[in-house]
Amino acid sequence: MRDFPQGGTAEPSFAEVAQAFRENFDSGAEVGAGVCVYHRGRPVVDVWGGFANEARTDPWRPDTMGILASPTKALVTGAALLLVDRGLLDLDTPVAEYWPEFAAHGKAGITLRMVLAHRSGVVCLDHAPIVEEHLRAHTPIAEALAAARPEWEPDTAHGYHATTFGHLISELVRRRTGHTVGDFFAKEIATPLGLDCHIGLQDPDAAHLATMLESRAEELMAGADPGDGMAMMVALGDPTSLTYRAVLGSMSLDLTPDPVVENPSYDGLASAQSLARFHASFIGEIGGFRLTKPETTEQLRTVHSTGTCRTTLLPSTWGLGLMLPDGPMFPASSGLGSAFGLGGANGNFAFADPENELAFAYVQNAGTQVIGRIDDRARHLVEATYRSIGVL
């Protein structure tokens, strides 16, 4: 048994989740992490342990925030759907009605629903790759999106909008509210829910941030399943492939992001505690605040896209902005049959499950050694959660 700083509580019926968390550390797979589970609107697991830095001198705390990677898109989705419920955005109105410049190059018929379902075809910014100065200014990215061409006829296929998703939504939010998605999220979602959760951190000196330790490429290759993730890894090495162009070719950013800068596709920050609370607000009232109306949540969890993703070359199923089962990144076999959520390429994972009244978040800083499927540590915790309620 390894010795590491740890804290938090788990209700007796969810003790297996805390045990699985400890086992991840005992195996040597973790540096620092937190996991939080909400059941029926209240936290039943909130545990943390390890260290926030590589030197293992700074203990992980309940409010320690990690870089989310793709689960940032869940925060952005929440902002978009809140505006839908408020009548400021409509799922089936062309984006160009709010943002006229976006109509260029065959994009006039693209709707918010298509963007959220990863069906718009607007997946590449390799004609104007994102740099940090563009993130700070926001406008150059909006102009690049307006100048982009769909990579397939909109609404005829789906492909993960890895780089473009957050920026498309952020410009729509700005057009309707005058605020970027990070500002809107902070005021309208994080504040009423009391979240340590940000898209662009206004006061980094007041926050406890974990240092993300990136996995080595050879470790990713060793962990890849040749039947699925390997095709994506090969494509990421080919600058002519859509996979490369939509991901590596669409941005030129430092590996260590500035936490103050908004990157609404990847660089959101959250503690496990807050990320679970945020997801719980999709399916019920939390502290007097519910993020989406029940009918909007039902649309979110309705299948909008399924099959092989044109970007990742993996099987995937999407609702509105969030993954649905089944697929290697969000497997029904782990209990997720009625859930929606997102896993990050760095190993983080979060979901909500209205049928089982669950919300879950796992945030860590050790990176991952797998590609194209759910991280083993996250899977271990998810399955322990579902066993705790008798589903597995």
Side-chain angles (χ1 to χ4, degrees), residues 9-24 35 37 44-45 47 360 377-392:
T9 60
E11 293 193 355
S13 58
F14 286 85
E16 187 177 351
V17 181
Q19 178 60 31
F21 183 74
R22 175 77 199 209
E23 288 170 357
N24 283 344
V35 64
V37 179
V44 294
V45 177
V47 295
F360 170 100
R377 295 160 301 164
R379 179 185 52 77
H380 195 34
L381 293 164
V382 169
E383 292 176 359
T385 298
Y386 277 103
R387 280 193 297 269
S388 296
I389 60 169
V391 170
L392 284 181

Side-chain angles (χ1 to χ4, degrees), residues 68-74 160 265-266 275 279 318 321-324 328-331 336 340-351 360 362 364 368 373-375 378:
L68 296 180
S70 289
T72 303
K73 296 176 176 72
Y160 185 42
S265 289
Y266 289 115
L275 192 59
H279 280 77
W318 291 91
L322 296 171
M323 270 192 171
L324 306 177
M329 286 297 295
F330 207 78
L336 296 163
F340 54 84
L342 278 170
N346 62 358
N348 294 333
F349 197 86
F351 70 83
F360 170 100
Y362 164 65
Q364 49 72 51
T368 186
R373 61 180 172 86
I374 186 173
D375 185 271

Side-chain angles (χ1 to χ4, degrees), residues 10 16-17 24 37 74 130 151-152 156 173 188 211 233 248-249 274 280-281 295 303 315 328 334 356 359 376 383 388:
E16 187 177 351
V17 181
N24 283 344
V37 179
I130 296 171
E151 297 297 326
W152 60 85
T156 63
V173 171
E188 302 294 336
T211 301
M233 290 299 294
L248 300 179
S274 288
S281 73
E295 56 268 31
V303 173
S334 290
N356 290 296
D376 291 337
E383 292 176 359
S388 296

